[in-house]
Amino acid sequence: MYITVDNQNTFVATGGKPFNPNLPTVVLLHGSGTDHRGWALQARWFAFHGYSVFAPDMPAHSLSAGEALTSIEAMGAWLVRALDAAKVSNVHLIGHSQGFLVALEAAVLLSKRLLSVTAMATASAIPVNPALIETAQKDPALAAQMMLQWGFGNQHQYGASAVPGMQPIGIGQRIMANNPLAIDLAACNAYTAGSKRAQQLASEGCASCVILAAQDRMTPKKEGFKLAQDLGTHAQVIADTGHMLPMEAPKQSLSIMKTFIQTLEK
Amino acid sequence: MSKSSFLGADTIALHSGYQPESDHGSRAVPIYQTTSYVFDSVDEASALFNVEQGGHIYSRITNPTVAVLEQRLAALEGGAGAICTASGMSALFVTFFSLCSAGDHIVSAAQIYGSTVTLLKHTLKRFNIDCTFVDINDQDALAGAIQDNTKLIFCESIGNPGLAVSNLPAIADTAHQQGIPVVVDATFATPYLNNPIQHGADVVVHSVTKWIGGHGVAVGGVVIDGGNFDWLKSGRFPTLTQPYEPFHGMNFWEEFGPAALAMRIRCESMRDIGAAMTPHNAFLLLQGLETLNLRMQQHVTNAQAMVAWLQQQDAVAWVNHPDINADAHTKTLFPKGAGSMLTFGVKGGRDAGAAFINALQLSSNLANVGDSRTLVLHPGSTTHSRLSETDLVAAGISADLIRVSVGIETVKDIQADFGLGLRAAAKVAMAQLAQTEA
Ligand SMILES: Cc1ncc(COP(=O)(O)O)c(C=O)c1O
C-alpha cells in the first residue's frame, strides 16, 4: 500500500493482504540500501496468520519518495510518524541490520504501543569502514557489490537461493545500487546510542529476540551476543548463513520469529 | 556493471546453484526425477501454495535439478533469476506472452531464426499481437517502428542466418529512451562470448539445446531476467505492476522487483502453459554447461581456422563470418571472437552446394547448430528448397549458401572433409561450365 508520511508518497508492503491497523502489527525494517523485498516470504506468513504487516521502504528507498534520512534517530522518529499515519496501534518491531537500529530508536518513542523487538543479523553499533562509505558515494554499484560479496554467506556465494531459479546476489545488487546506500552507511556509522537504548528496553521489561547468522561478516555474531546481553535475552544462531539472513534463511528465521511472537501473544 | 556472482565464469559453470547435498554428499547434481514433493505438514503445504515459503510443489512449476541449471545460467549471464523451459522456442514464447497481451506490438530484427519469425509473424498474430520487422542496426528505422503499444524490442545477438551482430548498446539506448525493454536471443553467442545484460539487454533467452548443451542430446531453453528494467517507470506493463488476481492478487513488481518478470513467468506461464524442462534434460544440459567455456574456445579457434582456409579454396565463391571485416561494435561485443557459425558459397550454385554436402563424411548434414560435432546444412536444397531463386535472395539466402556450425574436432580433419565436398562441388561447377560452353 502507499501512505503519505511527511507529505511524501511512501510504500509499505503488507504481505499480500489489505492492511488492518487493529490487528497486532509486525513491522519489518530493512537494512542499509535494501528494501521491503528482503522480507517477502516472512511478510506473507504473518499477514496470513492473524497479524498485520507493515514493511516500509524508508524515504528515498525503492518505491518510497522523499529525501533520504541522515541519522538513525531521524529514521526512528520517521517510523513512528509512518505508523501514526497508518493508525497502527500495537507493534512488534523486527529489524535487520540497520533496520534494528531504527527499531531501537522507534521503540523508545512507542512506549506502551510496543509489544516486542526482534533483532536479525545486527549489533548495537554498526561501524562502517570510511572507505566503503566513500565508495558508496562515488560508485553505488561497486559498493553494493562489495557489501554483497561480504554480506552473503558461503552457500549464496555459490548461487544458492531460497526461491528456486533466482539469484539473490543479483537481486540485492540491483536494489542496493539504486538506493541511498552511502547515506545509510554514514548513519549507521554515526549511531552510538544502541547499547544504551537496548539496556533501557531491557530495564522496561520489553520482550526481545535476537537471531544471528553463523557466517555474518558485516555484524559479526560476537557483537550480536553483546546486543542480546544488553537486551537481556539469549541469541539464537542460524548455521550456514551470512549477514543477509532474512533472504538467505527465510524459513529458519521465520520459524524463530513466529515462535517468539506467537508465544508472546499467548 | 551488475553482477550476480563473485565467482569467475569457469567456476560458475561448474559450481553455481549446487553444493553437495547433506544426505549423501553427491558431488554431481542429482537428478530429482519426481513429479511432486511431500509436504511436511498441512501448514507447510499451505505456506508453499501461498508463497510464504520458497520450495518445490510440482515439477511443472519448479524442480531441484532444473533450479540448479536456472541459477547457474542466471549467474553466468549476470541476471536476477532464470526460468528453464522445454525448448528455446518455448522460452521465447513465454517471454513474449508475459510481456504482451492482445492489442500489443513487438519490434523485431528482420534477420532471426525461422521459427521465431513464424512465431512473431503468424502465431502471435492470431492472438492480435503484431510485429514489425526492421534492420535492427538502423536506429532510425528502429525508433520509427516503435508504437504506443510496443512492448519489447527483439533481436538475436548474432542473427540467423546472416550472422549480423546486433549493436546491443545502440539498440538498448533507442529502446530505453521510450521505456521499452530489449529481449535478446543469445543462442549463437553463448554466455562465454558475450553477456547481453552487460550491454543493455533486459531479458536474455537461449536455446540451451545448442552450444550450452553441446552434446546434441537434449532440447531446452532458458529465459534470464536481467533485473535492470524499471517496469513501473515504463508505464507499459500492467502484467507486472498491477495485482494479478489469478495468483493471490500478487503485484510482481512490488513483491519481487528485479525478478518480477521471472516470477511472473514462473507463476503464470509454467502453471498455465507448462512447457517445463524435464529433470533429466536439465541434468544432461548441466553436463554440457560445465565445459561450455572450454568448448567455446575450441569452437571459435576452429571457426577462425575454417574461415581462413575456406577463403583460400578455389571452389569457394565467398565466406561470411562476423569477424571478417568486423564492425566496431562486433569487436567491442565479441572480443573473444563472434561465434562458430559461418556461411559460405560454392561456385556452381544450388547443385554444387548439394554436391558439397553429399560428399561429406565427417560433418553431419542436419537441421541443428551448436553441437560439438561439425554440422552443415544447404538451405537451398533442404529447409528452403521450395523457394524460387528470387525468394531465396529475399530471405537473405543465396542458392549456393552453405551454413556451417563448426565443431570442436581436430581442425585439419574438418578441412579434409570439406576438401572432399569442395572437389565434388567443383566437378558440378566444371560440368555446368562445359555445358554452357558447348
Ligand atoms: C537462434 C535460435 N533461437 C531459438 C531456437 C529454438 O530453440 P529450440 O530448438 O531449443 O526450441 C533456435 C534453434 O535452432 C535458434 O537457432
Side-chain angles (χ1 to χ4, degrees):
Chain A
M1 68 176 174
Y2 282 90
I3 59 171
T4 304
V5 187
D6 301 342
N7 292 319
Q8 298 292 344
N9 204 21
T10 301
F11 180 78
V12 180
T14 59
K17 269 212 157 171
F19 188 73
N20 175 357
N22 300 319
L23 291 173
T25 299
V26 173
V27 178
L28 299 164
L29 299 166
H30 64 74
S32 304
T34 62
D35 69 13
H36 69 278
R37 294 177 184 117
W39 298 110
L41 297 173
Q42 295 93 335
R44 286 187 79 86
W45 187 87
F46 281 110
F48 284 85
H49 289 83
Y51 301 87
S52 274
V53 167
F54 190 94
D57 283 352
M58 297 301 284
H61 288 66
S62 295
L63 305 181
S64 286
E67 295 257 324
L69 301 169
T70 55
S71 73
I72 299 295
E73 290 83 351
M75 294 177 201
W78 176 89
L79 176 63
V80 176
R81 292 198 296 282
L83 291 169
D84 288 344
K87 301 192 167 49
V88 177
S89 33
N90 295 322
V91 301
H92 295 280
L93 292 181
I94 301 178
H96 170 228
S97 193
Q98 171 188 314
F100 186 70
L101 303 184
V102 177
L104 283 175
E105 282 302 309
V108 181
L109 300 173
L110 284 167
S111 62
K112 289 215 164 52
R113 292 158 73 189
L114 180 67
L115 301 172
S116 73
V117 293
T118 297
M120 284 213 351
T122 188
S124 52
I126 307 182
V128 180
N129 188 327
L132 178 61
I133 300 178
E134 208 183 305
T135 307
Q137 281 158 350
K138 289 189 191 138
D139 186 348
L142 179 62
Q145 268 182 39
M146 290 161 71
M147 285 181 65
L148 293 172
Q149 186 160 17
W150 204 233
F152 276 104
N154 299 344
Q155 297 276 351
H156 276 62
Q157 297 299 342
Y158 282 93
S161 172
V163 181
M166 300 303 123
Q167 269 301 317
I169 292 180
I171 295 170
Q173 145 103 77
R174 281 145 179 94
I175 290 173
M176 289 173 83
N178 291 310
N179 278 339
L181 184 57
I183 297 175
D184 283 353
L185 294 177
C188 284
N189 192 46
Y191 184 67
T192 52
S195 183
K196 201 174 67 200
R197 292 284 189 236
Q199 288 170 20
Q200 188 181 338
L201 286 178
S203 71
E204 288 164 5
C206 175
S208 59
C209 172
V210 175
I211 311 171
L212 304 176
Q215 296 168 352
D216 194 336
R217 291 180 291 181
M218 311 269 287
T219 48
K221 62 180 190 297
K222 71 174 187 331
E223 297 302 320
F225 286 131
K226 282 191 221 156
L227 170 66
Q229 213 167 27
D230 286 340
L231 286 168
T233 187
H234 294 290
Q236 300 184 64
V237 181
I238 300 181
D240 291 330
T241 54
H243 182 68
M244 297 303 183
L245 185 57
M247 282 148 274
E248 289 183 64
K251 194 173 167 183
Q252 298 89 322
S253 60
L254 174 63
S255 163
I256 300 174
M257 286 154 75
K258 73 185 190 195
T259 308
F260 168 67
I261 287 175
Q262 280 177 325
T263 312
L264 286 181
E265 294 282 327
K266 278 177 199 151
Chain B
M1 193 183 82
S2 311
K3 280 193 173 205
S4 297
S5 174
F6 302 104
L7 303 170
D10 299 331
T11 312
I12 292 173
L14 285 160
H15 292 277
S16 234
Y18 177 72
Q19 294 225 279
E21 43 79 40
S22 51
D23 284 352
H24 308 289
S26 169
R27 180 55 275 185
V29 178
I31 307 174
Y32 287 89
Q33 191 69 47
T34 182
T35 55
S36 37
Y37 308 83
V38 176
F39 307 122
D40 283 350
S41 62
V42 171
D43 277 354
E44 194 202 23
S46 72
L48 280 161
F49 274 94
N50 195 32
V51 207
E52 295 158 19
Q53 191 177 306
H56 304 283
I57 295 175
Y58 187 61
S59 287
R60 189 178 72 234
I61 318 289
T62 60
N63 169 279
T65 311
V66 179
V68 174
L69 181 60
E70 290 170 336
Q71 286 158 220
R72 201 166 283 189
L73 286 167
L76 261 186
E77 284 290 19
I83 308 289
C84 279
T85 56
S87 65
M89 284 318 299
S90 50
L92 288 165
F93 180 78
V94 300
T95 304
F96 300 149
F97 170 82
S98 301
L99 294 177
C100 302
S101 301
D104 288 340
H105 174 250
I106 292 170
V107 181
S108 171
Q111 284 226 2
I112 51 172
Y113 173 57
S115 299
T116 314
V117 174
T118 46
L119 171 61
L120 288 169
K121 197 168 174 177
H122 302 288
T123 311
L124 291 178
K125 182 132 185 97
R126 286 204 292 116
F127 301 93
N128 198 20
I129 296 168
D130 270 330
C131 182
T132 306
F133 293 91
V134 296
D135 171 356
I136 200 73
N137 285 339
D138 177 344
Q139 296 315 304
D140 292 336
L142 178 56
I146 292 173
Q147 307 175 3
D148 288 347
N149 59 345
T150 302
K151 292 298 164 84
L152 63 101
I153 311 287
F154 174 74
C155 66
E156 293 173 357
S157 46
I158 301 174
N160 186 1
L163 307 180
V165 171
S166 298
N167 188 349
L168 297 179
I171 296 162
D173 254 9
T174 308
H176 293 164
Q177 270 171 31
Q178 309 212 36
I180 296 172
V182 178
V183 177
V184 176
D185 180 335
T187 301
F188 279 27
T190 80
Y192 173 74
L193 294 176
N194 174 268
N195 301 122
I197 295 164
Q198 277 177 28
H199 302 285
D202 301 293
V203 183
V204 176
V205 176
H206 287 281
S207 165
V208 188
T209 317
K210 308 294 175 342
W211 289 264
I212 290 175
H215 34 47
V217 302
V219 173
V222 68
V223 186
I224 296 152
D225 187 343
N228 291 318
F229 193 78
D230 191 327
W231 305 104
L232 183 66
K233 204 158 113 198
S234 156
R236 291 176 189 250
F237 296 96
T239 52
L240 298 176
T241 60
Q242 281 171 23
Y244 176 53
E245 280 322 315
F247 196 80
H248 311 289
M250 192 169 273
N251 181 319
F252 291 92
W253 175 246
E254 286 181 1
E255 200 107 2
F256 301 107
L261 174 63
M263 290 303 290
R264 172 83 189 203
I265 294 174
R266 180 79 81 205
C267 298
E268 183 183 48
S269 295
M270 301 320 280
R271 181 193 62 191
D272 298 354
I273 298 169
M277 179 180 281
T278 67
H280 189 246
N281 274 1
F283 172 80
L284 293 170
L285 293 162
L286 277 163
Q287 305 314 300
L289 180 58
E290 293 188 351
T291 57
L292 172 70
N293 296 351
L294 284 175
R295 285 185 289 109
M296 284 314 290
Q297 290 170 28
Q298 176 96 344
H299 272 295
V300 170
T301 308
N302 279 3
Q304 287 166 350
M306 287 307 294
V307 165
W309 183 84
L310 284 166
Q311 283 174 327
Q312 289 165 5
Q313 307 306 310
D314 285 342
V316 172
W318 55 270
V319 185
N320 180 30
H321 181 276
D323 287 335
I324 301 175
N325 302 323
D327 307 314
H329 71 260
T330 302
K331 289 183 186 151
T332 316
L333 293 171
F334 288 93
K336 292 184 269 198
S340 57
M341 292 297 296
L342 63 85
T343 54
F344 71 98
V346 286
K347 291 176 185 159
R350 197 186 283 219
D351 293 344
F356 172 86
I357 300 271
N358 282 333
L360 298 177
Q361 294 182 4
L362 175 72
S363 311
S364 310
N365 172 23
L366 54 72
N368 190 22
V369 295
D371 196 303
S372 293
R373 290 153 282 247
T374 297
L375 314 177
V376 295
L377 185 76
H378 180 226
S381 59
T382 54
T383 47
H384 295 70
S385 60
R386 265 158 286 156
L387 298 193
S388 66
E389 301 262 330
T390 352
D391 287 348
L392 277 179
V393 174
I397 298 164
S398 55
D400 61 347
L401 182 145
I402 290 164
R403 186 183 78 177
V404 186
S405 171
V406 180
I408 59 173
E409 299 95 341
T410 307
V411 74
K412 75 169 176 39
D413 294 332
I414 310 174
Q415 288 164 353
D417 194 42
F418 275 35
L420 297 176
L422 289 177
R423 276 196 288 284
K427 269 190 205 155
V428 173
M430 297 250 283
Q432 282 171 357
L433 205 64
Q435 217 167 25
T436 338
E437 279 166 7

